Amino acid sequence: MRTSSRFHAVTWLLWALAGAATVQLAPSPVYVALVIGLAALVVEVHRLDSAMARAFPLLLGLGVAFALLRVVLTALTTHGVGHVLFTTPEGTLPQILGGFTVGGTVEAPVVLQAASEGLAVVGVLAVFGAFNAVVSHHELVQATPRAFHEPGLIATVGLAFVPSTMLAIQQTREADLARTGGHRVGRRRMVRQLLPVLESGMERAVHLAESMDSRGFARARGGPRERAAGWCGLAALLSLAACFVALVGRSPRTASLLGGLGVLLLVGAIVLASQASRLTRYRPRRLTTTDGAVALLVWSAPLGLVVLDRVSDPVLRWVTNPPSFPDFSPAVAVVILLLGVPAAFPQQRGDEDVP
């Protein structure tokens, strides 16, 4: 059973961020499809034996369903753009609901643009779904600065919600089949499966609350460093807010000074809060030279896109009006292929744990 990855959790986090940035920089369908394929390849090579890995196809399915819904809603509410494919019955909503027209002409540029944007959403979900499938969440919490230990723990619990629910559904189905002798009985099947799933979710929430309470979360009073970290955090927020106001007022020099001050105060608050924390890490894993090299190579993908966009001006977005096939640049594809570098490092024998 494989429970640990060859790469550090921070390396996988940098890989996921690089993939999401690549989709944002090159949202054309041909490049997004390439990113999705690379994410599937990485999952195939580095997938851990956990419920998180089984959630990867589910997240892709949710992304596709969301994209299809977006295409339908956009096509029915956006008109007057280009070539008309067909016409549907139309109706106008009351003013309290917006007063816009639903239905009417369905135009090709609108459908293609909505499909392109929906595919970009699927690409981002694929990247972070692959991240969930290959990363050790325990190691990710360990790598979090001690100041963010509790938020990191809560985020990990939130990330585990979908796969743990899938596991509960699978166990409930198996129990239902065992009770009916292996025969699928449709009568009251939804009730028989829904109630145990909800009950399992409630039990997990209660166990988590009891666990956090037993560890004394938020019971001790804050020390001098924690109070200083709080004041630094407040000053950082005020400085960053003033930076935003300066940007609105078109004063870039003042905004730069306030923004830099806000970032310094924020870093100081994190350092002080981490020093005040009494939590210790048990055998933390260190970043290796391979981790650094892989992180550098995968981040060469979005940075390379920025350079290519400035030097050769390739078409990274799909122009759908008038409808045409998206442009394809081999140089852009080669740069995006750098996201697949982790797949070139297969799991070592020592990375697999014996059950």
Side-chain angles (χ1 to χ4, degrees), residues 108-340:
V110 176
V111 173
L112 295 177
Q113 183 65 31
S116 174
E117 294 173 356
L119 185 62
V121 175
V122 175
V124 174
L125 285 177
V127 169
F128 282 99
F131 168 72
N132 274 324
V134 300
V135 75
S136 168
H137 292 78
H138 173 72
E139 189 177 281
L140 188 64
V141 173
Q142 274 193 330
T144 307
R146 286 182 293 178
F148 299 121
H149 178 79
E150 286 83 2
L153 182 63
I154 293 171
T156 303
V157 172
L159 288 173
F161 172 75
V162 172
S164 61
T165 303
M166 290 178 55
L167 185 61
I169 292 173
Q170 182 182 358
Q171 292 174 345
T172 303
R173 285 179 177 174
E174 291 175 353
D176 187 43
L177 288 175
R179 193 177 66 171
T180 58
H183 300 287
R184 297 184 181 276
V185 180
R187 184 168 173 265
R188 302 183 63 184
R189 185 180 178 187
M190 181 65 72
V191 176
R192 293 199 308 269
Q193 294 186 354
L194 183 61
L195 288 181
V197 171
L198 294 176
E199 185 179 4
S200 300
M202 181 62 71
E203 287 180 355
R204 284 196 301 273
V206 172
H207 289 165
L208 177 63
E210 291 176 349
S211 175
M212 296 179 75
D213 182 69
S214 65
R215 287 167 171 79
F217 272 63
R219 284 190 174 183
R221 291 185 176 180
R225 288 183 177 176
E226 290 173 326
R227 286 193 291 272
W231 283 111
C232 281
L234 178 62
L237 290 177
L238 292 175
S239 181
L240 292 175
C243 170
F244 178 75
V245 173
L247 287 176
V248 173
R250 297 182 179 180
S251 178
R253 181 172 299 178
T254 305
S256 300
L257 292 174
L258 291 172
L261 178 62
V263 171
L264 288 177
L265 288 170
L266 191 60
V267 172
I270 294 173
V271 172
L272 287 172
S274 297
Q275 291 177 348
S277 176
R278 290 177 289 276
L279 295 172
T280 57
R281 296 190 177 98
Y282 176 68
R283 299 176 64 181
R285 182 177 175 179
R286 305 292 182 186
L287 285 166
T288 64
T289 306
T290 306
D291 286 313
V294 170
L296 183 63
L297 286 173
V298 298
W299 261 98
S300 299
L303 296 177
L305 290 178
V306 173
V307 173
L308 283 177
D309 190 41
R310 296 293 180 89
V311 174
S312 60
D313 194 20
V315 179
L316 302 179
R317 295 179 180 275
W318 186 24
V319 180
T320 59
N321 193 14
S324 61
F325 288 102
D327 293 333
F328 178 78
S329 169
V332 174
V334 170
V335 170
I336 293 177
L337 283 176
L338 291 173
L339 291 175

Side-chain angles (χ1 to χ4, degrees), residues 27-101:
S28 178
V30 291
Y31 304 133
V32 174
L34 183 58
V35 173
I36 295 174
L38 291 173
L41 177 63
V42 168
V43 172
E44 185 62 27
V45 175
H46 292 280
R47 178 175 55 194
L48 303 180
D49 294 326
S50 64
M52 292 285 189
R54 290 192 288 272
F56 178 68
L58 175 64
L59 289 176
L60 281 184
L62 288 175
V64 172
F66 173 77
L68 293 176
L69 178 63
R70 190 177 190 281
V71 169
V72 172
L73 293 177
T74 306
L76 292 178
T77 56
T78 306
H79 310 286
V81 176
H83 176 67
V84 177
L85 293 175
F86 55 89
T87 303
T88 62
E90 64 179 44
T92 303
L93 296 179
Q95 288 296 328
I96 193 172
L97 296 177
F100 55 87
T101 301

